[in-house]
């Protein structure tokens, strides 16, 4: 089983159950699923394919969840960047991770606008349990931060 399958098994039977509250708005598991499917389709429309990396430099927000789940569903490697990091740390991660794109708060409105016209169904992608799902960088306390590959 991979993360994509696990999320499908979790979301679909609970489609009408409240799954998340953010800033006073409640989202059902079905709404979370559809939002992330639309995000996956928007990334796909931008040319993202399985194995591509996307760095995400965002404060906590519902869109961070959309992006994470979209990456899992599309086979894109999710690379979160701590919002407390500045130029030196960011440069290192961007150089090391070699992402197709960096998504920041400035980029988010355009990306969210792109999701509006996307279908809410799951993109077709073959994902193996050994495929990388996320690349999470260590704190770098003993040197430069290192990317830990987290599989499905």
């Amino acid at each position: 089983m991979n993360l994509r399958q696990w999320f499908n098994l979790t979301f679909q039977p609970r489609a009408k159950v409240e799954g998340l509250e953010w800033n006073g708005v409640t989202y059902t598991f079905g709404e979370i699923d559809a939002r992330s499917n639309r995000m996956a389709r928007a990334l796909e429309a931008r040319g993202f394919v399985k194995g591509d990396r996307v760095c995400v430099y965002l404060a906590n927000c519902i869109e961070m969840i959309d992006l994470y789940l979209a990456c899992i569903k599309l086979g894109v490697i999710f690379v979160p960047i701590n919002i407390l990091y500045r130029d030196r740390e960011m440069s290192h991660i961007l150089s090391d991770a070699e992402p197709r794109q960096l998504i920041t708060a400035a980029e988010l409105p355009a990306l969210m606008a792109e999701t509006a016209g996307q279908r809410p169904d799951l993109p077709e992608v073959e994902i193996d349990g050994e495929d990388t799902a996320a690349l999470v960088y260590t704190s770098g306390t003993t040197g430069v931060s290192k990317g830990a590959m987290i599989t499905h």
Side-chain angles (χ1 to χ4, degrees):
M1 178 170 288
N2 60 49
L3 287 173
R4 176 182 159 125
Q5 293 165 327
W6 187 81
F7 281 119
N8 284 342
L9 289 173
T10 301
F11 288 166
Q12 292 172 357
R14 295 175 179 88
K16 295 181 187 209
V17 177
E18 292 178 1
L20 175 69
E21 186 274 323
W22 179 258
N23 280 348
V25 179
T26 301
Y27 300 88
T28 66
F29 283 103
E31 290 167 330
I32 296 165
D33 193 32
R35 284 176 63 97
S36 60
N37 286 347
R38 285 188 188 95
M39 180 66 77
R41 295 280 183 190
L43 292 175
E44 187 177 52
R46 285 187 171 197
F48 279 89
V49 295
K50 178 183 170 182
D52 282 343
R53 297 169 182 192
V54 62
C55 285
V56 180
Y57 184 71
L58 294 171
N60 289 341
C61 60
I62 183 94
E63 294 83 5
M64 178 73 95
I65 294 168
D66 295 338
L67 279 162
Y68 171 72
L69 291 172
C71 288
I72 294 297
K73 293 174 177 192
L74 197 54
V76 169
I77 300 168
F78 183 80
V79 185
I81 300 177
N82 186 326
I83 61 165
L84 299 178
Y85 285 177
R86 295 299 175 240
D87 292 342
R88 185 175 58 102
E89 296 94 350
M90 292 253 324
S91 294
H92 167 68
I93 292 172
L94 293 172
S95 173
D96 189 64
E98 299 179 332
R100 180 178 183 102
Q101 185 175 3
L102 168 65
I103 297 177
T104 66
E107 167 66 17
L108 205 51
L111 182 56
M112 293 311 294
E114 292 170 31
T115 66
Q118 300 297 330
R119 298 190 331 250
D121 60 324
L122 192 61
E124 292 297 321
V125 179
E126 286 284 327
I127 296 174
D128 184 85
E130 295 302 313
D131 289 338
T132 303
L135 184 58
V136 180
Y137 281 79
T138 64
S139 62
T141 54
T142 60
V144 296
S145 60
K146 295 159 191 67
M149 295 189 301
I150 312 299
T151 64
H152 276 263

